[in-house]
DNA sequence: ATATGCACCTGTGTGC
DNA sequence: TGCACACAGGTGCATA
C-alpha cells in the first residue's frame, strides 16, 4: 500500500481529528507482529494528549505531549480508522487506542508488516536514514544526477531506495519512469542529466496529483473514513500488463526487477 | 559501499 | 472441488 501519497492522505485525515484528544486506554490483540505491539502496553500512553500528526516519507508521526511520538508505518496492507467504540473489531485489527471523545483509533494490517511504536521526540533517530522529501526543493534533477553516478542498480530500484528519496514505492516508481520515458531496468549510472531532470519533475507531478486524488486503493488501502483513494484509475502502466499504452498503443510489458513486479511501455521507455 | 535474494505474513487468483 | 504456486503499495538482514 502506502507510499507517500497514501501516507499523506492518512496523516492529513488524522491531523483533522486526533490533535487535542487524550489516549484513555490501549488494547493490543496481536502480539506476533513483525514489529511487536506489546511495548505499547507498558509505555504509559494512558493519559497522554495528542499534539499533532505529521508525515515523513511513508511514516506517519503522532506527536504526544510528553516528548515522545507514535511512529506508524503501513507496510503493504496497513489501514488506520477512527471509529466509535461501538464498532466491533475486524479480523485483522491489531491495536486499539481508546480516545477521550468515545472514538477509537484502530490499526489494521492483514500481513502484519505494519509498524506502530513509541519513539523519542518525533522519531528523528528512526528517520535519520531517509533521503529528502520528493516534494521539496532538495529533490531535483541535479541531486538525482549526482547520486546516480557510479551506481549499477536498475533505476527503478534506485528510485525506490528510501535513502535516495523518501516515500516512492512500486506504484509511483513505475508511473514516474513511464512519464519520464525511462525504462525501469536502465542502469542508474547511465542516466543522462536531462533524464534525471525529467525523473524528478515527473515524480513531483505524479505524487502531487496522487495526493489530490487521495492515493491509490489497489486492494487494501483505505482512507481513515473507509473510503477509497481515486488515483488507481489514473495509473498508466502499473498493473496493466498486456493493455495498450495510453500514449503510443504498444503493449505494456512486465518484468521482475529487484524482486518486484515492474511495468513499462517498451516503445515509450528507453 | 553497493547489489541481490530471501524472509517476514495472509489472502487471492490461476492453472492443473 | 482441491491443491500448488505465484504474486501483492515494504523493509531488514544475510550474503556476495
Amino acid at each position: 500500500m502506502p507510499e507517500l501519497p497514501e501516507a499523506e492522505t492518512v496523516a492529513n485525515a488524522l491531523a483533522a481529528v486526533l490533535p487535542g484528544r487524550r489516549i484513555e486506554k490501549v488494547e493490543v490483540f496481536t502480539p506476533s507482529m513483525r514489529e511487536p505491539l506489546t511495548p505499547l502496553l507498558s509505555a504509559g500512553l494512558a493519559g497522554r494528549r495528542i499534539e499533532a500528526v505529521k508525515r515523513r516519507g511513508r511514516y506517519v508521526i503522532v506527536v504526544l505531549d510528553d516528548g515522545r511520538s507514535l511512529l506508524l508505518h503501513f507496510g503493504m496492507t496497513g489501514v488506520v480508522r477512527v471509529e466509535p467504540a461501538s464498532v466491533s473489531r475486524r479480523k485483522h485489527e491489531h491495536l486499539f487506542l481508546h480516545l477521550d471523545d468515545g472514538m477509537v483509533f484502530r490499526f489494521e494490517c492483514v500481513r502484519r508488516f505494519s509498524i506502530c511504536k513509541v519513539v523519542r521526540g518525533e522519531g528523528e533517530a528512526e528517520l535519520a536514514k531517509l533521503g529528502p522529501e520528493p516534494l521539496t526543493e532538495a529533490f531535483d534533477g541535479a541531486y538525482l544526477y549526482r547520486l546516480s553516478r557510479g551506481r549499477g542498480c536498475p533505476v527503478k530500484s534506485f528510485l525506490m531506495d528510501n535513502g535516495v528519496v523518501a516515500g516512492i514505492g512500486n506504484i509511483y516508481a513505475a508511473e514516474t519512469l513511464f512519464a519520464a520515458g525511462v525504462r525501469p531496468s536502465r542502469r542508474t549510472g547511465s542516466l543522462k542529466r536531462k533524464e534525471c531532470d525529467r525523473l524528478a519533475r515527473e515524480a513531483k507531478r505524479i505524487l502531487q496529483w496522487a495526493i489530490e486524488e487521495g492515493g491509490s486503493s489497489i486492494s487494501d488501502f483505505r482512507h481513515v473514513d473507509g473510503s477509497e483513494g481515486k488515483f488507481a484509475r489514473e495509473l498508466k502502466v502499473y498493473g496493466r500488463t498486456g493493455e495498450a499504452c495510453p500514449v503510443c498503443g504498444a503493449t505494456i510489458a512486465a518484468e521482475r526487477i529487484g524482486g518486484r513486479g515492474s511495468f513499462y511501455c517498451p516503445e515509450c521507455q528507453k
Side-chain angles (χ1 to χ4, degrees):
Chain A
M1 123 203 331
E3 302 183 34
L4 186 151
E6 291 76 30
E8 176 76 10
T9 300
V10 169
N12 287 340
L14 293 178
V17 296
L18 291 186
R21 297 276 64 77
R22 196 179 291 280
I23 298 171
E24 291 194 330
K25 186 173 72 168
V26 179
E27 284 188 288
V28 169
F29 305 102
T30 312
S32 62
M33 299 283 285
R34 190 162 198 244
E35 176 84 28
L37 293 169
T38 41
L40 294 171
L41 292 169
S42 53
L45 293 178
R48 298 278 59 78
R49 195 174 290 280
I50 295 166
E51 291 193 334
V53 181
K54 305 180 179 183
R55 179 194 61 76
R56 175 81 170 95
R58 266 168 276 220
Y59 291 88
V60 171
I61 307 151
V62 178
V63 182
L64 305 176
D65 64 354
D66 64 352
R68 298 183 297 168
S69 300
L70 290 173
L71 188 63
L72 308 177
H73 190 291
F74 304 112
M76 297 277 251
T77 54
V79 173
V80 297
R81 294 184 179 85
V82 178
E83 293 177 322
S86 57
V87 178
S88 56
R89 185 171 77 89
R90 296 170 182 81
K91 183 178 180 183
H92 295 291
E93 285 180 329
H94 309 304
L95 167 73
F96 281 5
L97 300 178
H98 294 265
L99 306 174
D100 60 358
D101 60 353
M103 301 293 274
V104 180
F105 171 95
R106 298 148 174 267
F107 195 57
E108 177 188 63
C109 186
V110 170
R111 292 175 75 179
R112 301 193 212 159
F113 293 167
S114 290
I115 294 168
C116 180
K117 65 191 291 192
V118 179
V119 296
R120 295 177 54 178
E122 297 183 6
E124 289 85 352
E126 288 76 9
L127 304 177
K129 283 183 288 191
L130 294 180
E133 284 292 314
L135 295 177
T136 62
E137 290 183 3
F139 179 72
D140 62 11
Y143 168 81
L144 272 186
Y145 187 72
R146 178 159 46 83
L147 253 67
S148 65
R149 296 307 87 187
R151 295 286 296 260
C153 66
V155 61
K156 176 157 174 279
S157 304
F158 180 69
L159 288 178
M160 291 173 65
D161 181 342
N162 280 298
V164 172
V165 57
I168 297 180
N170 209 30
I171 291 178
Y172 298 104
E175 296 298 308
T176 295
L177 287 161
F178 173 74
V182 176
R183 196 171 290 216
S185 58
R186 274 278 297 283
R187 295 297 114 177
T188 300
S190 78
L191 291 174
K192 302 286 188 282
R193 172 57 201 268
K194 281 196 167 183
E195 292 175 315
C196 291
D197 288 343
R198 287 206 300 273
L199 286 169
R201 188 176 67 239
E202 295 304 326
K204 289 173 191 282
R205 182 180 66 82
I206 289 166
L207 291 170
Q208 188 60 49
W209 183 14
I211 289 169
E212 288 161 13
E213 297 297 320
S216 305
S217 292
I218 303 292
S219 63
D220 296 277
F221 174 67
R222 290 296 181 275
H223 292 182
V224 168
D225 67 2
S227 62
E228 298 193 4
K230 300 191 192 80
F231 196 71
R233 70 178 66 148
E234 307 293 349
L235 299 175
K236 305 289 192 284
V237 292
Y238 180 86
R240 300 203 182 276
T241 312
E243 296 183 30
C245 168
V247 171
C248 76
T251 303
I252 302 299
E255 64 179 292
R256 294 197 79 75
I257 296 175
R260 312 297 300 277
S262 305
F263 311 92
Y264 64 99
C265 171
E267 291 298 324
C268 296
Q269 295 174 258
K270 304 299 184 188

